[in-house]
Amino acid sequence: MPDRLSIFEVAKQANCSIATVSNVLNNKGRVSAQKRKDIMKIVTAVGYRVNSAGRNLRMKRTEIFGLLFYPSCAEIFGNPFYAEVMGGLERRLTQAGYHLLLAGYEAATSTSPIPDFLRTGKVDGIILLGRFPTEIIRSFSRLKTPLLLLDSNAEWPLDSVVSDGFSGGVQLVRHLAEKGHKRAVMLAYAWEDYNIDLRIQGFRTGLREFGLDEGAHSVIRTSLSHSDLYRDLKARLDGENPPTAIVAVNDTLAVALMSMLQADGYDIPGDISVVGYDDEKIAQTSTPPLTTMRVNRPELGRAGAELILERTSVPKSPVAKIRLPVELVERESVAAPRVLAAAWPDSRPVEE
Amino acid sequence: MPDRLSIFEVAKQANCSIATVSNVLNNKGRVSAQKRKDIMKIVTAVGYRVNSAGRNLRMKRTEIFGLLFYPSCAEIFGNPFYAEVMGGLERRLTQAGYHLLLAGYEAATSTSPIPDFLRTGKVDGIILLGRFPTEIIRSFSRLKTPLLLLDSNAEWPLDSVVSDGFSGGVQLVRHLAEKGHKRAVMLAYAWEDYNIDLRIQGFRTGLREFGLDEGAHSVIRTSLSHSDLYRDLKARLDGENPPTAIVAVNDTLAVALMSMLQADGYDIPGDISVVGYDDEKIAQTSTPPLTTMRVNRPELGRAGAELILERTSVPKSPVAKIRLPVELVERESVAAPRVLAAAWPDSRPVEE
DNA sequence: TTGAAAGCGATACCAG
DNA sequence: CTGGTATCGCTTTCAA
């Protein structure tokens, strides 16, 4: 931050007081049109930009939000999902004159559970991107600082934006039902996650709503490992009344399951249909291309920006919890179930 | 940034002046041990943290660096390479009490080619991560602000850290030569890139140094598309004196080439050896696992942090350009060339 | 419509 | 060793 010219310099050249310059710069109305024009000309001529340090001190506002990842930046970069979320977030914030201070939770909080940059007043609020441990959210929830949970633990009474996993789960089942499926199984990682829970609830609700089998074993959530999950899936497929469709909790899992199924001789979607979730890149290039749910990721960021900006300007407004709609993307991993095709050769799915 | 207690409060409780409190907080020596202890006790008791705004104004220093991506954050997040670089960068900066302000170039620079957050003094320096258009680097190079090019255009007389692509190119050829290869071809995207140029120069130097064929066509850099590059490679393989080894400019390309080769009936490494570059994740899971060059990515970030911190404290120190060593990772995509094995059945590579 | 001056919270000089 | 005070650059109140 080298020495730059100050508001005094502008005032001197414009033959007026710094108060007037400030008023012009901040669009306070009470300056004559002529004076405003003169001052603006000088401002552009000398390339004056307001000094943030002075402004921050006076306004008690930095126009910076802290963006916190858990545990570290490295964990979350490299995730294309967040990349796009951040795109939307950054665009809207920049437009509002705000910036993002970046930190992994662990790096930011060497001493207290509250990040240093918050305690020293370097930021006006904090955005938690992605899932955080409950303990940490609890600490933050006690703060009076503007706080946003973005694609995070939305079960807290805090401003939050998440995608509507519930609706996504329901939509996927509806799609399968429309194709004629009667038995579907959902696979998810055995991993505490609010949005995953929503997807599963949506799936279950869908089963009920569209008249699919709701057996006790319609959700497999037994492990963190693809191969374990596949083992349990295989047991279902080899048992009585095997499912004709698989709902994977995300595309990565879906693709992994597909290749293990194919290695075991299954044809997809001929023998069994598979759907994913998130519309990751891999969903387009997998064999076959994967039917999945798309989340409007930039919109997730944009909505989040809106929320924390609002919270900053009106601290006492009621908590806002946004669930963003999701959209089915039909590709080639779903077909009518074979058993159905055999049993009712002239039913709708086969006519096509 | 809510109201927090100020240094006056601490001074009052400690029965001393704010000057003394400041001295204690900043470890200026001239305070008695007793007073220092008293003051520290109160500081911790009331949880006082210095207010950045006041400090910034007085010190003309924000302890924030701007981290700039081109063109946008979204382009660069989702790249695991940078994720790890940022890990190292963040760790070192945090340790030094610095933070990172995040921005995509386009978002940050709506009006002038110099980002707004720099012009308003929100940052003490700027880190350019990844390649930028020449024009933009030129604008930055005129600034007197600390500037760091991180894994970027190192041809400028500016502080920079890059991995040693030249050495990497040489090392790969040495490895191939040791395996008995006599003819190798390198494939790269037809795309201006400083580090790629280095890799190619290293490759060429290696050919010379280790006595491999240096035909005019030892580098194929004809296109941006994998399939175009493969077409040109195929022409070489089908021509006279085909290469027995392929050096791809990165692992993604290497893996793409491998699968196209395999689709055309080549056995890797039986018929032809392939090496990649960067040790991306895919290099471990490809078939066969890929021999490649590894860059110590966190170290790239850490070294960059060191450089810009140094530049900040000693603005006039000479320009520092760091080339980080790279390391060969041997996997299973390289074998002795078949022709050699046939011609000299008892030569070293075959004895093994 | 304009300007003088207070004050945001900290650091650092200089006098005691 | 300690403290009074000027100062950083800006916004805002209040008086003219």
Side-chain angles (χ1 to χ4, degrees):
Chain A
M1 195 162 79
D3 274 342
R4 283 151 38 268
L5 40 73
S6 79
I7 196 171
F8 281 92
E9 187 61 26
V10 177
K12 182 160 36 157
Q13 292 200 29
N15 251 317
C16 67
S17 77
I18 60 167
T20 304
V21 177
S22 176
N23 279 330
V24 168
L25 257 30
N26 295 290
N27 282 310
K28 311 283 187 196
R30 29 185 193 235
V31 182
S32 70
Q34 182 56 47
K35 198 117 212 131
R36 147 164 279 111
K37 206 156 57 168
D38 292 352
I39 292 177
M40 282 312 291
K41 190 184 301 182
I42 291 172
V43 164
T44 34
V46 303
Y48 170 77
R49 295 304 324 269
V50 51
N51 176 316
S52 290
R55 186 170 223 262
N56 294 345
L57 180 56
R58 179 62 222 238
M59 313 250 298
K60 296 176 185 293
R61 201 145 53 73
T62 61
E63 295 177 312
I64 296 177
F65 290 125
L67 181 63
L68 218 57
F69 300 97
Y70 184 86
S72 74
C73 293
E75 303 306 317
I76 217 111
F77 283 28
N79 180 335
F81 186 94
Y82 288 119
E84 292 184 50
V85 172
M86 294 225 10
L89 182 65
E90 188 200 4
R91 197 163 314 121
R92 179 67 186 96
L93 288 183
T94 301
Q95 188 186 323
Y98 272 78
H99 295 277
L100 284 173
L101 198 71
L102 187 69
Y105 180 79
E106 311 214 315
T109 57
S110 39
T111 53
S112 113
I114 301 305
D116 196 65
F117 60 66
L118 179 58
R119 306 186 56 217
T120 59
K122 270 191 153 64
V123 302
D124 296 341
I126 289 207
I127 300 169
L128 268 38
L129 183 54
R131 261 195 62 80
F132 279 67
T134 304
E135 273 320 297
I136 297 181
I137 307 257
R138 196 191 316 281
S139 321
F140 280 109
S141 72
R142 280 194 277 262
L143 266 36
K144 55 269 148 258
T145 316
L147 181 65
L148 171 71
L149 305 183
L150 191 49
D151 192 55
S152 179
N153 321 40
E155 66 271 33
W156 293 81
L158 298 165
D159 290 341
S160 66
V161 185
V162 294
S163 65
D164 191 345
F166 181 84
S167 157
V170 174
Q171 283 182 60
L172 285 175
V173 178
R174 174 168 53 211
H175 179 65
L176 294 174
E178 286 172 0
K179 289 286 185 177
H181 290 269
K182 291 294 175 194
R183 286 184 306 282
V185 61
M186 175 156 186
L187 283 92
Y189 303 108
W191 183 20
E192 180 201 2
D193 185 306
Y194 182 72
N195 204 275
I196 301 299
D197 290 346
L198 283 182
R199 294 175 192 184
I200 293 175
Q201 284 169 35
F203 173 78
R204 289 213 154 100
T205 303
L207 293 184
R208 204 168 320 126
E209 189 166 331
F210 301 109
L212 277 75
D213 271 11
E214 291 181 67
H217 302 97
S218 54
V219 175
I220 296 176
R221 200 183 186 182
T222 43
S223 169
L224 291 173
S225 104
H226 287 176
S227 49
D228 286 359
L229 288 171
Y230 183 67
R231 186 200 53 212
D232 295 341
L233 169 64
K234 196 67 172 52
R236 287 292 319 279
L237 291 175
D238 293 340
E240 300 249 306
N241 291 324
T244 58
I246 296 170
V247 176
V249 79
N250 67 38
D251 293 343
T252 304
L253 176 58
V255 170
L257 293 174
M258 285 204 298
S259 42
M260 289 188 279
L261 284 166
Q262 286 161 337
D264 277 350
Y266 287 85
D267 175 54
I268 299 169
D271 296 325
I272 191 157
S273 295
V274 176
V275 301
Y277 206 109
D278 283 344
D279 194 26
E280 300 166 24
K281 214 167 215 164
I282 198 175
Q284 299 174 43
T285 57
S286 61
T287 312
L290 191 62
T291 291
T292 186
M293 295 304 303
R294 176 185 296 153
V295 178
N296 187 335
R297 294 173 266 218
E299 174 59 17
L300 201 65
R302 205 204 51 76
E306 218 62 74
L307 231 52
I308 195 166
L309 287 169
E310 170 68 13
R311 171 69 52 209
T312 306
S313 62
V314 189
K316 322 215 64 104
S317 59
V319 168
K321 297 168 79 70
I322 296 182
R323 274 194 192 182
L324 239 46
V326 292
E327 172 195 2
L328 182 74
V329 181
E330 235 183 300
R331 295 209 178 88
E332 298 162 33
S333 61
V334 174
R338 175 152 294 171
V339 282
L340 179 68
W344 301 290
D346 53 358
S347 74
R348 190 175 54 74
V350 176
E351 286 169 9
E352 299 170 351
Chain B
M1 198 163 79
D3 274 343
R4 285 152 36 270
L5 40 72
S6 79
I7 196 171
F8 281 92
E9 186 62 25
V10 177
K12 181 159 42 155
Q13 293 201 28
N15 252 319
C16 68
S17 77
I18 60 166
T20 304
V21 177
S22 177
N23 279 331
V24 168
L25 258 29
N26 295 288
N27 284 310
K28 311 284 186 196
R30 31 186 193 231
V31 181
S32 71
Q34 182 54 48
K35 198 118 211 126
R36 148 165 277 109
K37 206 157 57 168
D38 291 353
I39 291 178
M40 282 314 290
K41 189 185 300 182
I42 289 171
V43 164
T44 35
V46 303
Y48 169 78
R49 296 300 327 268
V50 49
N51 177 313
S52 290
R55 185 169 221 260
N56 294 344
L57 179 58
R58 181 61 224 235
M59 314 250 296
K60 297 176 184 296
R61 205 147 50 73
T62 61
E63 296 177 311
I64 296 178
F65 291 125
L67 180 63
L68 218 55
F69 300 96
Y70 185 85
S72 73
C73 294
E75 303 306 318
I76 218 113
F77 282 30
N79 180 336
F81 186 95
Y82 287 120
E84 292 184 50
V85 173
M86 294 226 11
L89 182 65
E90 189 200 4
R91 197 164 313 121
R92 178 67 186 93
L93 289 183
T94 301
Q95 189 186 322
Y98 272 77
H99 295 277
L100 284 172
L101 198 70
L102 186 70
Y105 180 78
E106 312 217 311
T109 57
S110 39
T111 54
S112 113
I114 302 304
D116 196 66
F117 60 67
L118 179 57
R119 306 186 56 219
T120 58
K122 271 192 153 62
V123 301
D124 297 341
I126 289 208
I127 300 170
L128 267 37
L129 182 55
R131 260 194 63 78
F132 279 68
T134 304
E135 274 319 299
I136 296 181
I137 308 255
R138 196 192 316 281
S139 322
F140 280 110
S141 72
R142 280 194 277 263
L143 267 35
K144 55 270 150 255
T145 316
L147 182 65
L148 170 71
L149 305 182
L150 191 50
D151 192 54
S152 178
N153 319 41
E155 66 271 34
W156 291 82
L158 298 166
D159 289 342
S160 65
V161 185
V162 294
S163 66
D164 191 344
F166 181 86
S167 156
V170 174
Q171 284 182 60
L172 284 175
V173 178
R174 173 167 54 209
H175 180 65
L176 294 174
E178 285 172 359
K179 289 285 185 175
H181 289 269
K182 290 294 174 197
R183 286 184 306 282
V185 61
M186 176 155 185
L187 284 92
Y189 303 106
W191 181 20
E192 179 202 3
D193 185 306
Y194 182 73
N195 203 276
I196 301 298
D197 291 346
L198 283 182
R199 293 174 193 186
I200 293 175
Q201 284 169 36
F203 173 78
R204 288 214 155 99
T205 302
L207 292 184
R208 204 167 322 127
E209 188 166 331
F210 301 109
L212 277 74
D213 271 11
E214 291 182 66
H217 302 97
S218 55
V219 175
I220 296 177
R221 201 183 186 182
T222 43
S223 169
L224 291 173
S225 103
H226 287 175
S227 49
D228 288 358
L229 288 170
Y230 182 67
R231 186 200 53 213
D232 296 342
L233 169 64
K234 197 66 173 48
R236 286 293 318 280
L237 291 175
D238 293 340
E240 298 248 307
N241 290 324
T244 58
I246 296 170
V247 176
V249 80
N250 66 38
D251 293 343
T252 304
L253 176 58
V255 170
L257 293 174
M258 286 206 298
S259 41
M260 290 189 278
L261 283 166
Q262 286 162 336
D264 278 350
Y266 288 85
D267 175 54
I268 299 169
D271 297 324
I272 191 156
S273 295
V274 176
V275 301
Y277 205 109
D278 283 346
D279 193 27
E280 299 166 26
K281 214 166 217 167
I282 198 173
Q284 299 175 42
T285 57
S286 62
T287 312
L290 192 62
T291 290
T292 186
M293 296 302 302
R294 175 185 297 152
V295 178
N296 187 335
R297 293 172 266 217
E299 175 59 18
L300 201 64
R302 205 203 52 76
E306 219 62 75
L307 232 52
I308 196 167
L309 287 168
E310 171 68 15
R311 171 69 51 209
T312 306
S313 62
V314 190
K316 325 215 62 106
S317 59
V319 168
K321 297 168 79 71
I322 296 183
R323 274 194 193 183
L324 238 47
V326 293
E327 172 196 0
L328 183 73
V329 181
E330 235 184 297
R331 296 211 177 87
E332 298 162 32
S333 61
V334 174
R338 174 151 297 172
V339 282
L340 179 69
W344 300 292
D346 53 359
S347 73
R348 189 175 54 75
V350 177
E351 286 171 10
E352 300 170 353

